[in-house]
Amino acid sequence: MTTAVVGAPGSARRYLHSLWLLSARDLRVRYATSALGYLWSVLDPLVMSIIYWFVFTQVFQRGDIGAQPYIVFLISGLLPWVWFNSAVTDFTRAFNKDARLVRSTAIPRSIWVNRIVLSKGVEFLFSLPVLAVFAIFAGATAGWGLLLLPVAVLLQVILLVGLGLLVAPLCVLWSDLERTTRLILRALFYATPIIYGVADLPGVFRDLAVFNPLAGIFTLYRVGLFPQEWDTLAVGVGAAMSVGILVLGILVFRRLESAVLKEL
């Protein structure tokens, strides 16, 4: 009877059912031990947005950075960044954290990466009402670009799955990569158009920025409220690089999977 409900062993339906169970478990554990629960998914990007808004508009009074209203511009970049940053950070210990289950279950091991993408993605979607509230009160105007929001989410999922399939096994085989990944994420925050837009960068830095796949993805997130942020090249390169990283991740993961199981 159970097989009829969740699908036959090895089937896509069984995989998706297991993926949802593991992701739901992660969310329950995370919120069950926290008094604030859901609020934690929005407090971090919200506090960061307020700090950067204060620094750039009240201290330095740089009104030429980003777009107005700047607080909405910040939140629209920081929310997807928190999803990206927290997911990649968790990739570094995706297998070591549940090593016994990874070794003993017959479920494809990619599920330990995908459950992180899904659980963090659900938190991101739950945080979007905060952006909507700030956009309304700050007077931001919504446009046709909001229709591209699902495309942005899909591309970020593709990018994260690809990165997860690369980072997770490599961190098992070379433990120093966990600290290295965190350092890279810190640098990537400032190399990604979050507190600024691609158009704000001078000369060659603007040309280089489009090769950061997050630049195109974040453009898609913002274009619904800031149509002037549209950059065809950044979006095209971001989409191509996301797919390319996914293909590379699949190939590397298949090659390293047996070595990872021996190491765990």
Side-chain angles (χ1 to χ4, degrees):
M1 184 174 180
T2 303
T3 302
V5 174
V6 299
S11 67
R13 189 175 181 182
R14 172 66 66 88
Y15 183 92
L16 292 174
H17 178 76
S18 301
L19 175 61
W20 175 249
L21 287 179
L22 289 170
S23 301
R25 183 201 67 173
D26 287 348
L27 291 170
R28 284 196 301 270
V29 170
R30 190 172 299 122
Y31 291 141
T33 57
S34 169
L36 293 179
Y38 160 74
L39 291 179
W40 280 119
S41 64
V42 298
L43 277 178
D44 184 35
L46 187 56
V47 170
M48 291 174 65
S49 297
I50 293 173
I51 291 173
Y52 283 115
W53 171 84
F54 178 78
V55 169
F56 287 108
T57 65
Q58 305 301 309
V59 178
F60 295 111
Q61 298 182 350
R62 294 297 300 272
D64 56 334
I65 294 179
Q68 299 300 324
Y70 187 56
I71 185 67
V72 179
F73 182 86
L74 283 171
I75 294 174
S76 64
L78 283 168
L79 289 180
W81 168 258
V82 168
W83 177 17
F84 178 86
N85 181 73
S86 59
V88 174
T89 300
D90 281 3
F91 290 154
T92 61
R93 51 183 182 271
F95 292 136
N96 289 323
K97 185 178 179 181
D98 292 308
R100 183 178 299 178
L101 283 174
V102 173
R103 292 195 307 265
S104 61
T105 58
I107 305 172
R109 274 76 187 188
S110 61
I111 200 169
W112 303 102
V113 168
N114 293 333
R115 72 179 177 88
I116 294 174
V117 177
L118 179 57
S119 62
K120 299 297 184 182
V122 170
E123 289 185 336
F124 165 72
L125 294 177
F126 284 167
S127 70
L128 288 180
V130 175
L131 174 60
V133 170
F134 271 84
I136 292 171
F137 281 97
T141 303
W144 62 269
L146 285 179
L147 298 175
L148 295 175
L149 181 62
V151 179
V153 172
L154 176 61
L155 285 179
Q156 186 157 344
V157 168
I158 291 172
L159 175 62
L160 283 172
V161 171
L163 287 174
L165 295 176
L166 285 168
V167 172
L170 290 174
C171 283
V172 172
L173 301 176
W174 294 282
S175 58
D176 287 342
L177 285 179
E178 181 176 347
R179 292 187 178 90
T180 303
T181 300
R182 293 179 181 178
L183 290 175
I184 293 173
L185 285 171
R186 291 179 187 175
L188 187 60
F189 174 83
Y190 294 100
T192 299
I194 299 171
I195 58 179
Y196 57 85
V198 175
D200 297 321
L201 295 171
V204 67
F205 294 105
R206 181 177 180 179
D207 297 331
L208 292 174
V210 300
F211 291 99
N212 176 354
L214 291 176
I217 294 172
F218 284 16
T219 295
L220 291 171
Y221 280 121
R222 282 175 165 154
V223 72
L225 298 173
F226 307 100
Q228 69 274 20
E229 292 297 309
W230 176 259
D231 189 313
T232 303
L233 180 60
V235 172
V237 172
M241 289 189 67
S242 297
V243 174
I245 290 172
L246 175 62
V247 173
L248 177 62
I250 292 173
L251 295 175
V252 170
F253 187 82
R254 288 177 177 174
R255 187 175 183 87
L256 297 180
E257 184 175 1
S258 59
V260 167
L261 292 176
K262 292 178 182 178
E263 188 70 22
L264 290 175

